[in-house]
Amino acid sequence: MKALKALFVLLLIVSCSGKKNHPYTFYYWKTHLKLDQEEKRVLDKASVPYIYTRFFDIDKASGKFMPVAVVTKDNSFRTDKQIVPTVFITNQSMYHISAEEIRFLAKNIHDLIQKKAKEYDLKINNEIQIDCDWTAGTRNDYFKFLKELKRISGKEITCTLRLHQVKDKSQTGIPPVEKVYLMCYSTSSPLENSNKNSILDVTVLKSYLSKLEDYPVKKIEVALPIYSWGIITNHLEKHKLINALSRKDLENPAFKKISDHEVEIIKDGFYFGSFLNKGFRIKVEEISDDQLQDVTRFLEKKIHDFNIIYYQLDSKFVSNRGF
């Protein structure tokens, strides 16, 4: 009886804590594979045995497919994690694509992945992830491509899933894969005048995913943002992004504080690698642990037993975070 009572109390404590531990790992999205000590330390602690590594992008120009920014490797890149090759394909690459081009693209993507894995002695697993912001106009050919890549490679083909592709699934269609990766970021454009956090606005995300439990692909992993950037606004209200800025970077006597995350430049000068004029504004967008926990709790009501893949592995973004 005492044992049952103790078990009941333990279950009550666990249920009331409301926090589940989700296995996690990272995306690696740099062109040159290289790990510093902090990145290696954080990656080694990750509980998922994979790291999702961008190998190259695919774009189409003058009717020809081109691999863009193909990955290279530094000797410092050593990890016990298995690598999931990830390829970004522009949506325009999928417009007006013939069956022959689909076969050509699938074969060449597979061959280039194999070539780079062998060249750099990378321990890849049995999955290829494709990242494409497909639309209603490209869905049919994109889905044919995913099937052809599976046939040619013999591997498990997975793909990313953006918020609008969940909300508008009747228009954008359901990809022919058994697992998708839900990208819980880019809720708006950073180049628009807006008070919202363009990386992640939790209210916007919840509205897009209100019917996520009805999505036909049931194996869903979750990609969460840990990156940050600065949005520079000039006198003409034109915007420019500077990667990896934080609020700490705004602590400068040449800046006048407008809010906790925005300053105005009061002295012309070189800042963060760019010449910025007096009167320009810098707004920093970051993601807090509270925001990530809010999203995770919301998703736990919609889907079960998901892994988290943080975007992205960079010492600027992983330091001082509790994963």
Side-chain angles (χ1 to χ4, degrees):
M1 191 69 183
K2 284 184 178 179
L4 283 173
K5 188 175 181 181
L7 180 61
F8 175 76
V9 170
L10 179 63
L11 290 172
L12 188 65
I13 290 170
V14 171
S15 63
C16 289
S17 69
K19 185 176 180 181
K20 295 181 183 177
N21 288 322
H22 294 276
Y24 71 93
T25 187
F26 299 91
Y27 277 105
Y28 190 95
W29 214 259
K30 301 174 190 176
T31 303
H32 188 54
L33 297 177
K34 186 176 183 180
L35 292 175
D36 64 24
Q37 286 186 336
E38 178 67 0
E39 290 159 357
K40 190 171 189 321
R41 182 190 70 80
V42 171
L43 180 59
D44 286 345
K45 289 178 66 177
S47 48
V48 170
Y50 310 123
I51 177 170
Y52 294 81
T53 306
R54 175 204 159 278
F55 269 46
F56 50 87
D57 301 343
I58 294 291
D59 201 1
K60 194 176 185 182
S62 303
K64 293 185 178 180
F65 298 107
M66 300 183 303
V68 179
V70 180
V71 73
T72 58
K73 179 178 171 288
D74 187 88
N75 289 333
S76 69
F77 189 85
R78 293 190 183 91
T79 177
D80 292 330
K81 305 289 185 189
Q82 288 188 50
I83 289 171
V84 179
T86 303
V87 177
F88 172 76
I89 302 179
T90 62
N91 188 44
Q92 71 164 11
S93 298
M94 290 292 155
Y95 277 112
H96 310 300
I97 182 172
S98 68
E100 184 180 353
E101 286 177 314
I102 287 173
R103 288 191 294 272
F104 172 85
L105 184 59
K107 182 179 186 307
N108 280 272
I109 284 176
H110 176 246
D111 288 350
L112 187 52
I113 288 172
Q114 295 300 116
K115 178 184 176 183
K116 289 297 155 185
K118 184 177 180 181
E119 180 180 349
Y120 297 132
D121 193 26
L122 299 174
K123 185 172 62 176
I124 60 175
N125 77 335
N126 196 46
E127 177 182 354
I128 297 173
Q129 184 182 129
I130 301 297
D131 178 19
C132 179
D133 189 8
W134 83 87
T135 58
T138 57
R139 56 178 263 186
N140 291 338
D141 290 328
Y142 176 59
F143 294 170
K144 289 175 186 175
F145 159 77
L146 292 176
K147 290 178 180 177
E148 182 65 12
L149 182 59
K150 181 177 178 64
R151 186 190 71 80
I152 284 177
S153 68
K155 292 180 177 285
E156 178 188 9
I157 305 302
T158 62
C159 70
T160 56
L161 181 67
R162 285 166 169 77
L163 301 179
H164 73 90
Q165 293 162 344
V166 176
K167 182 182 178 184
D168 304 324
K169 63 180 183 291
S170 58
Q171 288 82 39
T172 55
I174 309 302
V177 296
E178 294 182 5
K179 181 164 66 175
V180 292
Y181 292 77
L182 180 63
M183 300 174 70
C184 294
Y185 44 91
S186 299
T187 47
S188 60
S189 170
L191 304 182
E192 297 173 357
N193 288 315
S194 173
N195 292 324
K196 297 182 185 300
N197 186 319
S198 66
I199 295 175
L200 174 60
D201 183 284
V202 178
T203 301
V204 171
L205 177 136
K206 288 179 179 179
S207 70
Y208 271 84
L209 301 180
S210 62
K211 302 293 185 184
L212 178 60
E213 63 271 25
D214 298 333
Y215 198 76
V217 180
K218 293 306 178 185
K219 185 58 180 173
I220 300 176
E221 311 288 25
V222 173
L224 293 180
I226 54 173
Y227 63 95
S228 65
W229 54 34
I231 303 171
I232 313 298
T233 305
N234 68 10
H235 300 117
L236 301 175
E237 295 298 312
K238 298 292 185 183
H239 306 294
K240 172 185 174 181
L241 287 180
I242 295 182
N243 189 40
L245 287 196
S246 67
R247 278 190 288 184
K248 194 173 182 181
D249 294 311
L250 301 184
E251 297 170 4
N252 188 314
F255 300 160
K256 181 178 76 175
K257 186 175 180 179
I258 299 173
S259 69
D260 285 343
H261 56 270
E262 191 169 11
V263 296
E264 181 180 321
I265 297 172
I266 56 177
K267 183 180 178 182
D268 293 353
F270 277 95
Y271 306 102
F272 319 118
S274 298
F275 186 83
L276 304 177
N277 293 107
K278 178 181 177 181
F280 284 22
R281 301 190 307 278
I282 306 174
K283 174 188 174 186
V284 163
E285 292 187 335
E286 298 177 292
I287 302 302
S288 69
D289 288 338
D290 286 345
Q291 285 173 291
L292 296 179
Q293 289 171 16
D294 192 358
V295 171
T296 302
R297 285 193 297 267
F298 169 77
L299 292 174
E300 286 169 351
K301 298 172 185 174
K302 302 286 184 180
I303 54 180
H304 301 288
D305 301 325
F306 56 87
N307 292 346
I308 292 174
I309 302 94
Y310 291 104
Y311 182 88
Q312 63 167 318
L313 182 63
D314 186 311
S315 55
K316 295 173 184 174
F317 304 139
V318 299
S319 296
N320 303 316
R321 274 206 188 262
F323 294 105

